[in-house]
Amino acid sequence: MSQNDQTGNAPSRRSGDADIISDIGAMVERERALRAEISAGGAGEEGAREELLGIEVRLDQCWDLLRQRRARQEFGENPDDAQVRPADEVENYRS
């Protein structure tokens, strides 16, 4: 497993698809737990909301990196050349 799900960092540039998918799974589990915590209310609700926002951004970065890797592979390029895009770029992307 790569380091982003534990450290809060963006996914590693050299993460393989399986590592990225594993990270996504771990973040989705944490996201669900945080949403349940927020729904229940409580003393840690504000911190949970902040953590949730961070996870949402990292998830978007992971999905973006995975799409880049798959596109590179499809067109005969090296998927390891895909790079994590900055959060503001990924979050403001328009299709």
Side-chain angles (χ1 to χ4, degrees):
M1 185 181 296
S2 70
Q3 56 185 287
N4 75 319
D5 60 317
Q6 295 299 320
T7 65
N9 296 324
S12 168
R13 178 177 174 226
R14 295 287 181 193
S15 294
D17 289 1
D19 290 334
I20 297 168
I21 291 168
S22 177
D23 288 347
I24 288 170
M27 284 188 280
V28 166
E29 286 180 31
R30 183 62 183 148
E31 179 184 36
R32 287 181 182 144
L34 288 168
R35 290 187 188 284
E37 184 179 325
I38 291 167
S39 292
E45 185 178 342
E46 186 60 35
R49 287 184 190 281
E50 288 179 27
E51 185 180 352
L52 182 59
L53 289 173
I55 287 173
E56 289 171 345
V57 170
R58 289 190 308 276
L59 276 169
D60 288 345
Q61 286 178 302
C62 283
W63 283 116
D64 178 67
L65 180 60
L66 191 59
R67 282 190 295 271
Q68 286 182 61
R69 290 180 55 81
R70 290 179 174 174
R72 286 182 178 279
Q73 189 169 24
E74 180 180 344
F75 291 100
E77 298 176 16
N78 185 350
D80 290 336
D81 289 340
Q83 296 185 22
V84 176
R85 295 184 225 225
D88 60 339
E89 183 177 337
V90 173
E91 292 302 294
N92 295 314
Y93 177 77
R94 302 280 186 238
S95 42

